[in-house]
């Protein structure tokens, strides 16, 4: 199990990375470098971990097609929806955004 990351390589960096891919000048230095894009869609499947997806991939044919290119992120602590969504939306660790459960 990976330790949670609260930087550009973790859940907090998803939205800044997408923003940077859409406008590299305005969001220079934000998040992880992704290929430049004209449009983006971020899909979040709450409670769907990588191991579960691999085990039950027959039930998710679209996602199954992308398993080989999939990148995983470790959930922060505590592993609740409220905590993770707080980190996802603010880019801050749970101790900073205050949504702990």
């Amino acid at each position: 199990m990976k330790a949670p990351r609260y930087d550009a390589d973790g859940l907090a960096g998803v939205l800044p990375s997408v923003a940077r891919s859409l406008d590299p000048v305005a969001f220079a230095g934000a998040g992880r470098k992704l290929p430049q894009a004209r449009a983006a869609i971020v899909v979040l499947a709450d409670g769907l971990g990588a191991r579960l997806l691999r085990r039950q991939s027959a039930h998710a044919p679209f996602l199954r097609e992308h398993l080989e290119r999939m990148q995983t992120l470790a959930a922060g602590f505590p592993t609740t929806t409220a905590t993770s969504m707080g980190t996802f939306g603010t880019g801050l660790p749970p101790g900073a955004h205050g949504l702990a459960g």
Side-chain angles (χ1 to χ4, degrees):
M1 185 181 311
K2 292 197 288 188
R5 301 206 41 178
Y6 299 109
D7 59 9
D9 289 331
L11 187 60
V14 173
L15 295 180
S17 298
V18 171
R20 181 179 180 183
S21 75
L22 296 171
D23 191 341
V25 175
F27 295 98
R32 170 185 280 203
K33 187 166 171 96
L34 298 174
Q36 191 165 354
R38 290 186 329 210
I41 297 172
V42 176
V43 176
L44 179 92
D46 189 25
L48 179 62
R51 285 180 285 198
L52 179 60
L53 178 57
R54 282 191 175 91
R55 261 196 331 262
Q56 302 294 328
S57 64
H59 298 288
F62 175 79
L63 295 175
R64 181 180 57 231
E65 292 177 26
H66 301 282
L67 278 173
E68 296 305 315
R69 297 185 320 226
M70 177 176 72
Q71 295 179 22
T72 60
L73 301 171
F77 181 83
T79 56
T80 65
T81 297
T83 303
S84 294
M85 292 303 90
T87 297
F88 183 74
T90 66
L92 299 171
H97 61 61
L99 299 169

